[in-house]
Amino acid sequence: MSDDTSRIATTTLGTEGPAVGVQGLGCMGMSEFYGDTDEAAARETLETALGVGVTLYDTADMYGIGDNEEFLAPFVKAHRDEIVLATKFANERKRDDSSYRAIRNDPPYIRQAVEGSLRRLGTDVIDLYYMHRRDPAVPLSESVGAMGELVTEGKVRWLGLSEVTGAELREAHAVHPISAIQSEWSLFSRDVEQSAVGAAAELGIAFVPYSPLGRGFLTGSFTDAATELGSGDFRQSQPRFTGENARRNADLLAPVRAVAEAHGATLGQIALAWVQQRAAVHGLPVVPIPGTRKSARVLENTAATRITLTPAELELLEPIAARVAGDRYPDMSSTSAARE
């Protein structure tokens, strides 16, 4: 439960998309990638988020190889008309081969994927359906055309793309309206500003930043993934979070800390406020989806939507991304940055 003062504002995904809270919730970590999960606490977190106006809930068929979608199903059933449900396809995994990874954008696979997601989520329609990663070998006209057919058939309401360039976004939007683009965007990761952000603003497409907290690094909760996080935490494989890169990047938090102290806020709140303020800077809806498994963290994160950074503070934070050591992933080949 919450009072009206704690509820976040709303915005619209795309020119014809749904109204959502200006901050969503990334649900990936409730099933995989960040170590062990307390399922009861995670379910409480979903309810807490809804209580303060978070209505966009983000998952994907690859999270837990379907487990995350199944985990969300009871929450979806209980609140179907109150939430905007987003899931994704394209990253193919296999339960009997933990090392298997493939990117699939072909229409037959898209058909197979949407049916699996609908079944696991326990719903007859997905609100926002993303292509999670792009396979350049498959023409966008084929992939987005197949996704558009799902809208016509009533299995999907709106379409999204993840990790695409501005040119790819324009090409896709010409085939079928795109409501949202989801890519990494934070004080540490600004490569999307090269072309994708401008294209989205021009076309009236909302931006949904994932990892707006730098996978927790921007909150100061850890300084070296290799020594401080559990063996099941995939951040140990990300170049910017270990060793000398991590030590250099931890030093970049000094201006974030100074701004946080001035606002009586946490580092994470300043990082989120910066992302939220990209909406005004670039002229498009921006709905970050920080992930968390804790109710207290949801309340902290959503409070950041009520922080406005001054021009001087924005200028202080401006140089950070250009100084970050290490890539976002050990293999950047499937990101939009690799195709710019």
Side-chain angles (χ1 to χ4, degrees):
M1 297 297 291
S2 66
D3 57 43
D4 288 343
T5 61
S6 67
R7 291 185 67 83
I8 62 176
T10 60
T11 190
T12 303
L13 294 182
T15 54
E16 299 179 1
V20 296
V22 294
Q23 189 179 111
L25 181 64
C27 301
M28 179 182 79
M30 294 179 177
S31 296
E32 194 181 14
F33 298 109
Y34 292 112
D36 294 337
T37 295
D38 181 332
E39 185 171 311
R43 294 199 180 282
E44 180 183 343
T45 299
L46 295 171
E47 298 287 348
T48 297
L50 186 60
V52 293
V54 172
T55 54
L56 178 63
Y57 292 80
D58 184 90
T59 183
D61 59 6
M62 76 161 290
Y63 301 160
I65 317 181
D67 288 350
N68 195 240
E69 290 180 325
E70 291 184 349
F71 166 79
L72 286 175
F75 177 75
V76 172
K77 181 178 180 180
H79 301 289
R80 190 65 192 92
D81 295 336
E82 303 169 75
I83 68 171
V84 173
L85 177 62
T87 192
K88 317 178 200 69
F89 75 89
N91 285 302
E92 184 180 38
R93 299 174 64 189
K94 296 181 179 180
R95 287 192 181 275
D96 59 358
D97 183 356
S98 60
S99 64
Y100 179 85
R101 293 286 194 281
I103 297 176
R104 298 279 303 275
N105 290 175
D106 55 287
Y109 179 78
I110 294 172
R111 290 253 163 210
Q112 172 189 329
V114 76
E115 294 299 340
S117 288
L118 287 167
R119 182 181 68 254
R120 288 186 293 270
L121 289 162
T123 187
D124 59 0
V125 62
I126 293 164
D127 296 316
L128 179 59
Y129 199 42
Y130 289 101
M131 178 192 295
H132 205 167
R133 291 292 186 272
R134 170 89 203 281
D135 176 6
V138 180
L140 272 171
S141 58
E142 293 183 14
S143 303
V144 178
M147 294 169 71
E149 290 174 3
L150 301 179
V151 176
T152 301
E153 295 165 14
K155 295 180 178 180
V156 171
R157 290 194 172 108
W158 297 282
L159 302 184
L161 300 173
S162 179
E163 289 285 353
V164 293
T165 66
E168 290 168 340
L169 185 59
R170 287 188 178 91
E171 182 182 350
H173 192 68
V175 176
H176 188 282
I178 303 298
S179 294
I181 172 174
Q182 180 181 140
S183 293
E184 187 164 355
W185 198 9
S186 73
L187 279 170
F188 265 27
S189 299
R190 297 180 61 177
D191 49 89
V192 292
E193 294 174 25
Q194 184 170 339
S195 72
V197 172
E202 174 190 320
L203 297 170
I205 296 171
F207 212 103
V208 178
Y210 72 80
S211 299
L213 293 170
R215 303 194 187 278
F217 195 88
L218 282 164
T219 70
S221 61
F222 72 97
T223 55
D224 189 329
T227 59
E228 298 172 43
L229 303 180
S231 59
D233 197 307
F234 92 119
R235 288 172 289 186
Q236 294 188 341
S237 70
Q238 292 186 295
R240 58 180 50 170
F241 299 143
T242 59
E244 181 59 27
N245 284 348
R247 285 188 286 276
R248 289 172 58 186
N249 292 337
D251 291 340
L252 298 178
L253 297 181
V256 185
R257 193 168 284 109
V259 175
E261 290 174 358
H263 283 267
T266 65
L267 274 68
Q269 286 176 322
I270 298 307
L272 282 171
W274 181 90
V275 175
Q276 301 278 177
Q277 220 157 320
R278 298 301 92 191
V281 171
H282 293 280
L284 78 170
V286 175
V287 184
I289 48 169
T292 184
R293 297 169 287 188
K294 299 178 180 178
S295 291
R297 194 71 73 190
V298 164
L299 299 178
E300 176 185 331
N301 291 347
T302 52
T305 66
R306 295 181 284 276
I307 296 174
T308 300
L309 304 178
T310 68
E313 289 168 340
L314 292 174
E315 185 176 354
L316 186 64
L317 301 174
E318 182 65 24
I320 292 175
R323 298 172 181 169
V324 172
D327 284 331
R328 295 194 274 131
Y329 296 100
D331 177 3
M332 290 285 287
S333 62
S334 63
T335 67
S336 59
R339 298 190 303 278
E340 288 284 7

